[in-house]
């Protein structure tokens, strides 16, 4: 699945120590399901827990977490919504300089299956819609942020002077 490949690349980019020893990152799926989208193009959606284990990591855990969050902004943006769980992790502290770190992400991946004229099927792993965030402050991507209209600020407010 494409998301697995791109997450691995993002982690390699953030932790140069793994580029020298690629066997120290292990990735596997648990509790996966496949749902039909019931569309004409025979679409489906994989939903799964992706586990990423980094063995003997010497880099600060915050560097790994930031790399995952930067990846999530584009690849699973609903996990970046304020107060969303994001992802979980476990760490086995080995010594003062290294730890085994397990990150667990709840992901989904949409696949569209398009029949070809020769009877074969082309699979297209769809990306996420445009990210919810284009910068650190705005959720609309518009500068300045749009002015909300269509309501009166004084309507439906509770009476404060009781």
């Amino acid at each position: 699945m494409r998301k697995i490949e791109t997450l691995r690349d993002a982690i390699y980019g953030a932790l140069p120590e793994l580029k020298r020893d690629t066997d120290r990152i292990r990735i596997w799926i648990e509790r996966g399901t496949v749902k039909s989208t019931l569309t004409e193009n025979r679409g489906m959606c994989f939903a799964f827990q992706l586990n990423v284990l980094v063995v003997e990591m010497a880099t600060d855990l915050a560097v790994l977490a930031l790399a995952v969050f930067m990846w999530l902004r584009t690849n699973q943006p609903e996990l970046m919504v304020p107060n969303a769980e994001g992802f979980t992790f476990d760490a086995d502290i080995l010594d003062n300089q290294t730890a085994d770190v397990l990150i667990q992400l709840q992901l989904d991946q949409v696949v569209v299956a398009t029949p070809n004229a020769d009877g074969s099927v082309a699979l297209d792993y769809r990306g996420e819609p445009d990210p919810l965030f284009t910068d650190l402050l705005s959720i609309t991507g518009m500068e300045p942020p749009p002015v909300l209209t269509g309501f009166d600020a004084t309507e439906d407010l509770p009476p404060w002077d009781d």
Side-chain angles (χ1 to χ4, degrees):
M1 286 184 257
R2 302 293 186 259
K3 286 189 179 184
I4 296 170
E5 296 169 19
T6 60
L7 178 58
R8 182 190 319 264
D9 292 344
I11 292 172
Y12 280 150
L15 284 88
E17 67 181 274
L18 296 179
K19 288 182 185 177
R20 295 184 296 273
D21 192 0
T22 57
D23 289 340
R24 290 183 30 224
I25 186 170
R26 298 176 187 125
I27 299 176
W28 71 94
I29 293 173
E30 283 186 21
R31 292 185 282 284
T33 61
V34 183
K35 304 171 193 173
S36 171
T37 58
L38 285 176
T39 59
E40 197 172 301
N41 62 15
R42 302 179 191 174
M44 64 187 120
C45 180
F46 292 95
F48 53 94
Q49 176 181 302
L50 185 68
N51 296 306
V52 179
L53 176 63
V54 181
V55 178
E56 298 178 359
M57 186 176 81
T59 303
D60 188 330
L61 177 59
V63 173
L64 176 60
L66 181 60
V68 173
F69 274 129
M70 291 173 64
W71 179 86
L72 286 171
R73 287 174 67 88
T74 303
N75 294 281
Q76 203 75 43
E78 70 273 11
L79 295 181
M80 295 292 296
V81 173
N83 297 319
E85 185 172 309
F87 60 89
T88 60
F89 74 95
D90 294 305
D92 182 11
I93 310 302
L94 303 174
D95 56 38
N96 287 338
Q97 297 179 354
T98 60
D100 292 345
V101 178
L102 173 65
I103 290 178
Q104 299 154 325
L105 300 146
Q106 300 300 321
L107 302 178
D108 57 54
Q109 176 73 72
V110 174
V111 180
V112 174
T114 307
N116 293 321
D118 65 1
S120 63
V121 177
L123 298 176
D124 179 25
Y125 286 85
R126 292 292 168 99
E128 294 295 316
D130 289 337
L132 296 175
F133 316 104
T134 58
D135 61 38
L136 293 176
L137 301 175
S138 172
I139 61 169
T140 64
M142 300 170 64
E143 293 298 330
V147 176
L148 300 177
T149 60
F151 64 93
D152 185 325
T154 60
E155 354 182 78
D156 298 320
L157 293 177
W160 297 106
D161 298 326
D162 282 16

